[in-house]
């Protein structure tokens, strides 16, 4: 992380954009190991050129633009993605608005106008399967073929496999939907996390001896409903304070079977967190959500869940996503 991580948008004046930079280009949902290979290639190229390295990414995710009525389980929202990118050593990120105009821009126009004229890049790193431009005609091979004429360096990174399984955002979404936290963590290169503000709930937890910090996740979150060992961060950068805890994500079938809610119990914490913004990193899956016949049985299970969560967290000391600070 650098404190001066820059975020360049379509509205940023051209004079404020450093020229000659090297860029890593992609959607970067989750900033997983495959994305990190592209970023590392850009960082290495930047060091060789004596130039800063930036990410080039798109918001909203192109899938949301092309299929606005289809649920989109994003691994990271824009802010989360930028914080992960800021933790990689990149000098900044170029966030390009993905709208009708950009969707209709040809690959050649995108290269010449956006990459060469506006950003003035000296090099670019992409993944083997990244496509861009109208009709997804732009490809790594097109960049490679254009590189000599444009005077830029191009690095194309191959796919990354773990246990003979390709790393991808889709594979991580599937792992999270199945509660396979270890698999998701391996592909991400660190724990998956969510960020949200603590809201008021029914306050049943305090009566049970388990007061919780409640966070409403995105309605399209595809995480398997159940109980998790979590590590929680409050604040950013060096000022962040972390806590271990156990969390329930689900509909509370014992009580109201309502809308999905993330309820986090922090171990060894006393205080008021209402309105606080928290990062919640998922370290391990404990069990599926269950309905209990009585409160006593529920509390016994919560005691067991807490013990199992403490054991999972003790086996993963310090595990937390590497997040940088953004303005």
């Amino acid at each position: 992380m650098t404190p001066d991580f820059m975020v360049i948008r379509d509205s940023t004046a051209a004079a404020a954009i450093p020229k000659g930079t090297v860029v890593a280009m992609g959607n970067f949902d989750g900033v997983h190991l495959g994305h990190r290979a592209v970023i590392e290639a850009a960082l290495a190229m930047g060091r060789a050129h004596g130039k800063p390295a930036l990410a080039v990414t798109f918001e909203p995710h192109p899938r949301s633009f092309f299929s606005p009525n289809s649920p989109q389980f994003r691994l990271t929202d824009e802010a989360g993605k930028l914080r992960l990118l800021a933790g990689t050593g990149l000098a900044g990120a170029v966030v390009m608005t993905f709208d009708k105009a950009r969707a209709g821009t040809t690959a050649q126009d995108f290269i010449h106008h956006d990459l060469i004229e506006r950003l003035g890049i000296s090099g670019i790193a992409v993944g083997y399967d990244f496509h861009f431009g109208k009709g997804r005609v732009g490809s790594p091979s097109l960049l490679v073929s254009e590189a000599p004429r444009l005077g830029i360096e191009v690095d194309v990174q191959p796919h990354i496999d773990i246990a003979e399984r390709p790393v991808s955002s889709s594979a991580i979404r599937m792992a999270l939907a199945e509660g396979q936290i270890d698999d998701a963590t391996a592909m991400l290169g660190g724990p998956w996390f969510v960020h949200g503000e603590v809201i008021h709930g029914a306050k049943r937890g305090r009566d049970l001896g388990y007061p919780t910090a409640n966070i409403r996740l995105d309605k399209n979150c595809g995480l398997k409903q159940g109980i998790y060992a979590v590590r929680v961060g409050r604040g950013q950068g060096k000022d962040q304070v972390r806590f271990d805890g156990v969390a329930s994500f689900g509909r509370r079938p014992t009580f109201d079977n309502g809308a999905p809610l993330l309820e986090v119990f922090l171990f060894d914490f006393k205080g008021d967190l209402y309105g606080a913004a928290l990062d919640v990193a998922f370290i391990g899956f404990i069990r599926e959500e269950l309905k209990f016949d009585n409160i006593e049985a529920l509390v016994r299970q919560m005691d067991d869940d807490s013990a199992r969560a403490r054991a999972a967290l003790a086996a993963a000391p310090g595990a937390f996503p590497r997040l940088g600070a953004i303005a």
Side-chain angles (χ1 to χ4, degrees), residues 123 134 143 151 164 200 224 243 255 284 325:
K134 184 178 181 180
L143 289 169
E164 300 183 353
H200 287 272
K224 181 181 179 69
F243 307 91
F255 296 105

Side-chain angles (χ1 to χ4, degrees), residues 41-55:
L43 288 168
M45 197 186 304
R47 288 191 293 269
H49 289 204
K51 297 291 185 179
L54 308 174

